[in-house]
Amino acid sequence: MEKIVKDVGDIQSRLIDHRPVLQGEIRYFIREFEEKRAFRECRLLENLNKMTSDTNEHDLPRCTECMHEKLCDALTRLEAANHMAQRIQQRELEAEQNTHLQVCAERRKQDWEEFQKDQSRLKEEVDEEHAKAVGRLSAQYNDMKKDLAKYSSF
């Protein structure tokens, strides 16, 4: 009887309690999933490795060469632009200096005209003083002649 109870207990646990069967199925599913996942990840990593190798062997040298050509071209253009900018700066500086020279020349011309006016005015003053001095001397000599004429008539 004990054996029957035990058998009935086993039958009941198998019919009602599905945990051991489910756990076995779950373990099997997890094992299969991990194997397939590992296989899929391995394929993915191999594909990535192949893509990286192809890129390093083919695309990278081509891109490097293209980049070098483009950078050389850009450098040449930048040097030309820099040279043009320097020429423009030089022209502006020369124009500014020419403007400065013109301003200085105008200032010197004005100074020269003012100097000539001053000299003309001073000349007129000297001429006027000279004329006065000549007039005084002429008057003095005329007076002296008159005095001499008075004394010579004696």
Side-chain angles (χ1 to χ4, degrees):
M1 176 107 109
E2 271 181 48
K3 192 168 182 164
I4 296 178
V5 172
K6 188 176 181 186
D7 286 340
V8 170
D10 284 343
I11 293 173
Q12 179 190 9
S13 70
R14 285 187 184 208
L15 287 175
I16 296 175
D17 189 15
H18 300 290
R19 273 186 260 156
V21 174
L22 284 176
Q23 286 177 349
E25 288 295 320
I26 289 172
R27 279 191 224 114
Y28 174 75
F29 177 77
I30 290 173
R31 199 174 320 119
E32 285 292 314
F33 180 77
E34 286 176 350
E35 287 176 7
K36 288 179 182 179
R37 179 177 167 194
F39 181 68
R40 186 177 44 202
E41 286 178 357
C42 187
R43 277 193 331 226
L44 188 67
L45 288 174
E46 286 174 0
N47 287 340
L48 285 174
N49 189 23
K50 183 180 176 190
M51 247 182 7
T52 305
S53 298
D54 289 346
T55 302
N56 284 339
E57 291 172 4
H58 302 292
D59 295 340
L60 188 63
R62 191 182 67 217
C63 288
T64 304
E65 183 180 326
C66 183
M67 181 181 65
H68 182 69
E69 290 173 6
K70 298 297 181 184
L71 284 176
C72 287
D73 185 40
L75 180 64
T76 304
R77 288 182 183 192
L78 281 173
E79 287 173 347
N82 190 24
H83 182 68
M84 283 185 214
Q86 285 176 346
R87 284 189 7 223
I88 290 170
Q89 273 186 324
Q90 184 66 30
R91 286 182 188 159
E92 287 178 355
L93 183 63
E94 289 171 1
E96 186 177 299
Q97 288 176 345
N98 286 340
T99 304
H100 180 70
L101 290 176
Q102 288 174 351
V103 167
C104 289
E106 286 293 322
R107 191 178 308 130
R108 282 192 205 104
K109 187 177 178 181
Q110 289 173 354
D111 290 346
W112 179 252
E113 288 174 1
E114 188 177 317
F115 175 75
Q116 284 181 330
K117 286 179 186 176
D118 287 344
Q119 291 300 314
S120 176
R121 183 181 51 77
L122 290 172
K123 179 186 171 245
E124 288 175 4
E125 288 176 5
V126 169
D127 286 346
E128 193 176 303
E129 285 181 28
H130 181 266
K132 287 180 185 177
V134 168
R136 279 193 309 255
L137 285 174
S138 293
Q140 186 179 359
Y141 281 120
N142 283 337
D143 289 344
M144 289 170 82
K145 277 184 188 179
K146 287 181 190 174
D147 286 341
L148 189 60
K150 285 185 199 175
Y151 293 122
S152 52
S153 58
F154 290 113

